[in-house]
Amino acid sequence: AASPRTDIRDCSVNPPYLPPTATNTTARLAALRDAMRAHSTHAYIVPSTDAHMSEYIAERDSRLGWLTGFTGSAGTVVVTQDRAALWTDSRYWTQAERQLDCNWELQRTSQCGQGGGWILESVPAGGNVSLDPFLFSIDTWNSYSQALQGSGRALLPMETNLVDQVWGDQRPPPASSEIYGLPAEFTGSSWQEKVAGIRQQMAEHTRRPTAVLLSGLEETACDWGSGATGLFNLRGDDIPYNPVFYSYTLLTSTNISLFVDEARLTAEARQSLRADCPGPLCVELRNYSQARAHLQRYAQGNVTVWLGTEYTTYGLYGVVPQEKLLEDSYSPVMLAKAVKNNKEQELLRAAHVRDAVAVIQYLLWLEKMVPQGQVDEFLGARHIDALRRAQQHSHGPSFESISASGLNAALAHYSKRTLSVDEMYLSDTGGQYLDGTTDITRTMHWGTPTPLQKEAYTRVLMGNIDLSRLVFPPNTAGRNVESFARRALWDVGLNYGHGTGHGIGNFLSVHEWPVGFQSNNVPLTAGMFTSIEPGYYRDGEFGIRIEDIALVVEAQTKEPFLTFEVVSLVPYDRNLIDVSLLSQEQVQGAGSGPSRWPAPAPPPPPRWARWPSARSSPCCSLSCRPDPDSSPAEAASSHHRSLPCFAFFFFYFHPCN
Amino acid sequence: AASPRTDIRDCSVNPPYLPPTATNTTARLAALRDAMRAHSTHAYIVPSTDAHMSEYIAERDSRLGWLTGFTGSAGTVVVTQDRAALWTDSRYWTQAERQLDCNWELQRTSQCGQGGGWILESVPAGGNVSLDPFLFSIDTWNSYSQALQGSGRALLPMETNLVDQVWGDQRPPPASSEIYGLPAEFTGSSWQEKVAGIRQQMAEHTRRPTAVLLSGLEETACDWGSGATGLFNLRGDDIPYNPVFYSYTLLTSTNISLFVDEARLTAEARQSLRADCPGPLCVELRNYSQARAHLQRYAQGNVTVWLGTEYTTYGLYGVVPQEKLLEDSYSPVMLAKAVKNNKEQELLRAAHVRDAVAVIQYLLWLEKMVPQGQVDEFLGARHIDALRRAQQHSHGPSFESISASGLNAALAHYSKRTLSVDEMYLSDTGGQYLDGTTDITRTMHWGTPTPLQKEAYTRVLMGNIDLSRLVFPPNTAGRNVESFARRALWDVGLNYGHGTGHGIGNFLSVHEWPVGFQSNNVPLTAGMFTSIEPGYYRDGEFGIRIEDIALVVEAQTKEPFLTFEVVSLVPYDRNLIDVSLLSQEQVQGAGSGPSRWPAPAPPPPPRWARWPSARSSPCCSLSCRPDPDSSPAEAASSHHRSLPCFAFFFFYFHPCN
C-alpha cells in the first residue's frame, strides 16, 4: 500500500489534501462499479495498453488514464466495490501521487505490477475477477490465472469493455488520418523482401507453421510486438509520437491479409500493396474489426499459427485451438526487425547526426538563457521540439519531451518550474526522422553542484561508460550485463529503479522490443540498436539520467566477441564530472578497444565533456576545423559522421580564437 | 552433432579409433532397443539424475552411466532404433569423447541439454517418445511436452524403467547403511524448530497449503531440491560424498510422514523422531516405496499440497489433482536452508579453517614433490584426500577430487598424468566435516608459465576478485551479477562455459541450491554461502579455475546493500599473476570496502599471493607471528579465524628468518 510518509497526497485529513494536478474520479469510479455489479464482477482489471500491447496509445485507448487521472505510460488498475488500486513502477511514483485522488491506493512496484495478491485480499472466495481479453497478452492472462488458481476466485474474460461503456460518448473517436508509404530511400529493404524472409523462416521451422499472426503496432515497457507498420514500410499517425496505424496481419505461405481501415490508405500505399495481385505477394485488405473472425475461420483448417505469446492478446489467442498453435516468445518479424542491415544502420546514424545538432543548439541556448531566468520547463521542451523540427526529414518528437528541473527530475514529466543556475536540469527528448528515431537524455548544472550531485552524476556516467565499453560474447542476454551500468552507483549504496535500455526503431517506436537489457529481451546481436541509460533519482531533490543510443558491433578481439558503438553525439556536462572518481580505464580508455575518453583535460577545461564514441570516426579526436561559412546544421547533415565535432567546437569550444 | 574435427574419437575409419577409456555399449544398446520395440516406444529418454533429482547419485541409479560409459554428473540421453545421443555441457565434452564409443553422438550444449529438436528429427510423426516419469522434474517433463506439442509425436510416461529391466541383476542393490543423527553441536537449529518454521510459512501463505511435499535429497546442476536429510538433522551414506539418504517427506499442519527404510535408522535417530509421539511433532515412519500411494490418498481430501516444480518428479506430481496443487519454484524448506543462521555460519567458517590447513599442506607437499617427478594426478588426489581425513570432524571428501595436470585440466576429471614443473596443475577438491562442507579450486605452475597462461590465470583471478568485491542491492539475482566474474576474460575475447558458482551446505551437499549465479537461483540474501569460481579452459593445452567460498554479508554502505566475505583461506599462486594487468582497485582495494589485496609485493615476492578475505579479520595483514611449538593444524583449528595466516607464514613465507 501507499506509504503515507512519502505520499504527496494526505488522505488522512478531512477533506484530504490533494495537489492541484489530481483528478476527481469519484463519479467515474461509481459508474464503473455500477457496471461491475450489473455484470456480477467483483474485481475489474484495466491495463495501460491497447489491443496491440502498445506502450504509447491513442487518447481513445487511454482507459486507465481516463479512469484514474494518471497519465503515465505503464500501469495496471484493479477496482473492486470498495477498493481501487494502481500499480506502477518507480519512474511514475511521484507522478501518480500528483495525479491520483484519494479513491486510489498507489502500489509501488519495481516492475510492471500485477496485483495478484491484492486481488486475493480484496475479493472474497467465490468472487469473479474480470478483464477485457483483447487488452491483455497471453502471458499476462496466464500470470493472473496462476495467481488465482485454486483460490476459489474465477478469472473471466468479458467482451464488453466496462470502462468504454461508462466512458460513453465522451470517448474520442477512432483515428481517421492518412496511412502512407515510406519512400524507398528511407527503407532498409522492400516489404516484399521482408515477407519472403518470414516465409523462409516458416519453411525452415521444424513445426512448419502455415501462418504468422502479427498483432503489435509497437512495443510496451513490459510487452512488445511488431506489425504491419514495419513489415509493409507504411506509416500512420494513429498514436502520438509513433508513426504507426492500427492493424493486424495474417501472413500465410500463400496469402497476406492486412486488417486495416482501407479508406485511410493513400493511393500510393494501396498501389504498393496491390501491385502483385493476384499472387502470393498480393496483400488482401480486410476490415480491421474482422481480424478475430477471420483468424477463427482460418484456424478451422489443417493449419499451424505461429505467434508471440508476449504481445498477442488472450482474446485473439483463444480462437486458435491449442494443437494448432506454435507459441514463441518472439516472432520472426520481431527478430528480423531487431537486427538492422547496413542501410538501416547508416540511416539511423545519419538521423543521430542531425539530432545531435538540434540538441547541442538547445544546450547552447539554455546556457545563454537560463542565467537570465527566462526559461521554464515547458518553454524548454517547446524549444528543443522546435529545434528538432527545423532539422531535415523531421517528423517531430518521438515522445513527449521530458524537461525537468530540480526536484521535478525525480518525477518523469515536466510542469512549469523555472530553470535556474542553482538546480540540476534533466532533458530526455527524441526525434522522429524519416531515416530514424532518436532518444537522448542529458543532465546539466549551470552553477555550483553539490558534492553529492557531482558524485552521483559522475557515477551514473561511469555506469554509462562501463556498459558502453563492455566487450562480451555473442548471444549474451542484456540482463546479464546491465549491472555494469549500475556498479559505480552500487559501490556507494545507490541505485535506480528503472531498466537500463531499450531497442529503438527506424522511424518507428522509440521503445522497440525485443532488444534491451530486461529479462524478456533477446540476446544481443551485431546490428541491434539499444539505449544505455543509467540514472539516479533523489526524491524531492534532483534526478540524473545519461542516455545514449548504441549499436552492437563486433569487437576487435580474436574470437568474434561484441561491443557497443555509441551513435549519440552530444557531449556531457564537465561541470558535473568528478574526474578523481573515474578509473584509469574510464579516463584513458584501455583494454582491447580504442580510447573513448579524452586524455586529461588541458587547462582551462572546456564546458562539455565528450569521449569519441565512434571507433570508425577519427573526427572526435577533438581536432579543430572551424568553417564559419556553412551553418553547422547544413554541414552536419550533408557530411554525416565527419562533422559533428566541428559543430560542437563551433558552438562550445571556440578553441581556435 | 559431434564435430569430427575436434572429437577424440574417429568414427569415420573402420574399425573406429576409440581411446582405451571408451566403453563398448553395443550389447546394452541392442537390449534396450529390444525392450523399446516390445513397448512400442520409438525414442527413450534417460536422465543422469535419480528419483530425487540428485546430482551425485548412487551406482544403482547411474542408468545413464551404465548405458553409455559416460560418468559425468550432468547429461541426458535419447535412444531411438537407429540413433543414440548424449547431451552434456562443456565441462564434460572431452570426458564424453573419451568414454563414449561410436554408437553415440555427442551433442555439445551450453546448458543442460534437452534434445527436443533432435527427437523431432529422429522420430517419425506418429511415433511414441517415452520416459520414466519418476526420473524427470515437472519442468523437464513440460519442456519435452512443449517441444513435441502439435508435432504428431506423443510423450508417454512409462512406469517400467527400460534401462533397469535391461540392466537386470547386474544392477547394484539398494543402500542398506546406517542413517544417523547429527550431534546437536553441529546443527544450527533442532528439527522441531525447522518444522515449526515451515508450518508458520504454510499458515502465512495466502493459499493456506495443508501440506508440503519434500522430494529432493540434494541438488543437481540443472535442478535442485531438499529433503528429510536437512530437515531432520539426519545423515546417511546412500550417495558417495554426500551424507544423505533416500526418503520423501509429507509435512502437514498436524502430521509428519517420513518415507524411509526404517530398519536403517540408528536407535538414537529413531528416538529423536519419535520422542513427541503422538502429536504434531511425531514423525510417522513409512515405507519408502509407499510415498506415491500415500500422497495419492492424501490428495483425495480437502487439501492443498505445496511443492517445488523444479525438483519434484512428474511421477509424484501427477497424482495430485491440479486444483489441489500449490506450485512454486522454491519450497519454504529450500529457502530456509539457504540462509544460514549465525551458528551455521560459524560452523561453516570453522570447517574452512581446518580445510585450508589441509589444502596448504597439500600445496607445500606438491612444491616439494613435483620437481622430483614423483606425483601423478591419482596420487595427488589421494594425498589431498588423506590430508583432509586427518583434520578434526572429517567425513572424507565432499566429491571426487579433481586433480588434473596440463591438458587434462580441460577435462573435468583426472587420470594418471605425471605432474610436472612444465605444466599447469588444477586441483578442485572439497571436504565433508561434521560442521560444514568445503569446496576449493587452485591452479598452479611450478616452473615458467607461458605468457598466455599467465594472462589467462590473471584474468580469471581478476574475475574472482571483481565478483567477490562487488557491492550490490538486496534482492539482486546472481545471474545479474555473474558477468563481473567474466569481464576481465571477455575484454580479450575469452570466456568459460560453466556457471560461476553454487550454494554449499552444512555437512550436506557441496552443490546446494537454490543459491548461486544461474537463472533459476534465488536472489542473494545475507547469510547465504556460494562458491565463486571463474575459469578458463584451452582444449588440449591447459585449464584454469580459481574457486573460493563466500558468505553474503551486509556492505558498509549507508543503504543496506550486500557484498561477499570470502571464507576460503588458501593463497593463490603468485607465479601465475601478471600484476600489470590488475587495476588499481584490484591491487590496492578501493571504494567503500576494506582493502582486500596486499600492497605491491616487497622484493623478493613470496611464492603464494593472498589478499585478506575477511573484513573482520586483521590477521591477514601479513604480520608475522611464528610459533614453532604448536602444529599449524592444531593452532588453526583451535583459534579458528585468527591463525590461518600464521599457518600460511609458517609453511610458505618464512619472512622472519
Side-chain angles (χ1 to χ4, degrees), chain B residues 359-520:
Chain B
V359 177
I360 292 167
Q361 287 171 330
Y362 181 51
L363 299 185
L364 178 65
W365 181 80
L366 287 172
E367 200 166 335
K368 201 169 70 186
M369 304 296 284
V370 170
Q372 303 170 26
Q374 301 296 310
V375 187
D376 71 16
E377 294 165 329
F378 181 78
L379 286 175
R382 222 165 57 169
H383 193 67
I384 176 63
D385 291 353
L387 289 169
R388 275 211 172 81
R389 283 208 178 85
Q391 290 295 322
Q392 201 182 3
H393 305 318
S394 169
H395 265 240
S398 58
F399 56 97
E400 188 176 0
S401 291
I402 295 170
S403 166
S405 184
L407 57 86
N408 281 357
L411 171 74
H413 292 269
Y414 63 90
S415 56
K416 292 209 170 191
R417 191 179 183 89
T418 301
L419 274 55
S420 149
V421 297
D422 297 325
E423 289 193 332
M424 292 181 93
Y425 171 67
L426 184 155
S427 160
D428 184 353
T429 64
Q432 290 287 8
Y433 303 89
L434 287 177
D435 46 0
T437 306
T438 68
D439 186 3
I440 185 163
T441 309
R442 288 296 179 266
T443 306
M444 58 213 87
H445 196 299
W446 300 276
T448 306
T450 67
L452 177 64
Q453 288 171 335
K454 204 162 168 174
E455 172 158 2
Y457 181 93
T458 305
R459 290 185 179 277
V460 171
L461 180 61
M462 289 159 75
N464 181 308
I465 295 170
D466 285 353
L467 183 52
S468 304
R469 291 184 47 81
L470 187 71
V471 175
F472 54 90
N475 274 315
T476 297
R479 66 160 178 273
N480 289 336
V481 297
E482 73 109 43
S483 297
F484 288 101
R486 299 179 187 268
R487 189 185 47 173
L489 288 163
W490 285 0
D491 267 347
V492 290
L494 306 180
N495 200 6
Y496 54 92
H498 57 74
T500 296
H502 54 79
I504 189 162
N506 275 82
F507 189 38
L508 261 177
S509 296
V510 70
H511 291 171
E512 179 172 288
W513 290 61
V515 175
F517 297 98
Q518 289 183 268
S519 58
N520 55 351

Side-chain angles (χ1 to χ4, degrees), chain B residues 114-372:
Chain B
Q114 297 293 342
W118 188 94
I119 293 175
L120 289 175
E121 249 177 66
S122 314
V123 176
N128 294 329
V129 180
S130 285
L131 50 73
D132 178 345
F134 288 92
L135 296 181
F136 289 85
S137 72
I138 301 162
D139 284 352
T140 308
W141 168 275
N142 286 341
S143 72
Y144 283 116
S145 175
Q146 172 113 23
L148 301 183
Q149 180 208 341
S151 74
R153 285 102 180 150
L155 183 64
L156 303 175
M158 189 191 299
E159 297 207 10
T160 307
N161 187 298
L162 298 187
V163 177
D164 292 353
Q165 187 183 312
V166 172
W167 203 346
D169 49 14
Q170 300 300 305
R171 190 178 170 215
S176 57
S177 60
E178 213 167 53
I179 299 170
Y180 53 97
L182 201 55
E185 60 182 300
F186 297 118
T187 62
S189 37
S190 70
W191 72 259
Q192 290 89 344
E193 287 165 344
K194 295 180 189 178
V195 165
I198 298 169
R199 284 183 171 152
Q200 188 179 343
Q201 288 187 62
M202 291 164 61
E204 286 166 0
H205 196 287
T206 52
R207 288 274 314 275
R208 301 275 185 281
T210 59
V212 172
L213 175 68
L214 305 176
S215 289
L217 307 183
E218 48 135 15
E219 293 71 29
T220 78
C222 282
D223 293 285
W224 53 268
S226 163
T229 312
L231 179 61
F232 297 116
N233 296 328
L234 300 177
R235 298 294 186 271
D237 297 308
D238 295 9
I239 294 183
Y241 308 114
N242 288 264
V244 297
F245 58 93
Y246 289 114
S247 64
Y248 295 102
T249 305
L250 187 70
L251 171 63
T252 77
S253 15
T254 52
N255 283 87
I256 308 167
S257 298
L258 173 60
F259 301 87
V260 67
D261 183 351
E262 185 178 346
R264 295 176 52 202
L265 290 169
T266 63
E268 295 74 18
R270 205 165 180 290
Q271 162 61 18
S272 159
L273 299 175
R274 307 282 305 164
D276 294 320
C277 289
L281 288 173
C282 163
V283 179
E284 290 168 39
L285 298 168
R286 297 172 189 275
N287 197 299
Y288 175 74
S289 65
Q290 294 305 305
R292 187 191 185 200
H294 183 90
L295 180 64
Q296 196 158 24
R297 270 195 311 279
Y298 179 76
Q300 286 166 5
N302 179 22
V303 298
T304 301
V305 181
W306 195 357
L307 49 76
T309 50
E310 290 201 45
Y311 63 95
T312 304
T313 65
Y314 184 77
L316 272 183
Y317 169 86
V319 307
V320 183
Q322 192 63 38
E323 69 277 10
K324 297 182 181 177
L325 280 171
L326 170 55
E327 298 176 41
D328 245 329
S329 292
Y330 309 101
S331 84
V333 183
M334 282 310 298
L335 292 174
K337 196 174 65 155
V339 175
K340 269 55 173 173
N341 65 25
N342 284 342
K343 184 174 172 199
E344 289 164 333
Q345 292 178 21
E346 280 317 305
L347 290 168
L348 256 170
R349 278 200 185 94
H352 276 88
V353 171
R354 294 194 307 282
D355 195 66
V357 172
V359 177
I360 292 167
Q361 287 171 330
Y362 181 51
L363 299 185
L364 178 65
W365 181 80
L366 287 172
E367 200 166 335
K368 201 169 70 186
M369 304 296 284
V370 170
Q372 303 170 26

Side-chain angles (χ1 to χ4, degrees), chain A residues 110-138:
Chain A
S110 55
Q111 301 172 322
C112 294
Q114 297 293 343
W118 188 93
I119 294 175
L120 289 175
E121 248 176 68
S122 314
V123 176
N128 294 329
V129 180
S130 285
L131 49 73
D132 178 345
F134 289 92
L135 297 181
F136 289 85
S137 72
I138 301 162

Side-chain angles (χ1 to χ4, degrees), chain A residues 55-56 73 91-92 95 241 362 366 376-378 380-382 384-385 388 397-405 408-415 419 425-430 439-444 511 533 537 543 545 547:
Chain A
E55 176 182 9
Y56 296 101
S73 67
R91 292 173 297 171
Y92 296 112
Q95 183 181 355
Y241 308 113
Y362 181 52
L366 286 173
D376 70 16
E377 293 165 331
F378 180 78
R382 222 166 58 172
I384 176 64
D385 291 353
R388 276 210 172 81
S398 58
F399 57 97
E400 187 178 359
S401 291
I402 295 170
S403 166
S405 184
N408 281 356
L411 170 73
H413 293 270
Y414 64 90
S415 57
L419 274 57
Y425 171 67
L426 185 156
S427 161
D428 184 354
T429 65
D439 186 3
I440 186 165
T441 309
R442 288 295 179 265
T443 306
M444 58 213 86
H511 292 172
E533 47 178 311
Y537 309 90
R545 188 161 60 252
E547 176 186 24

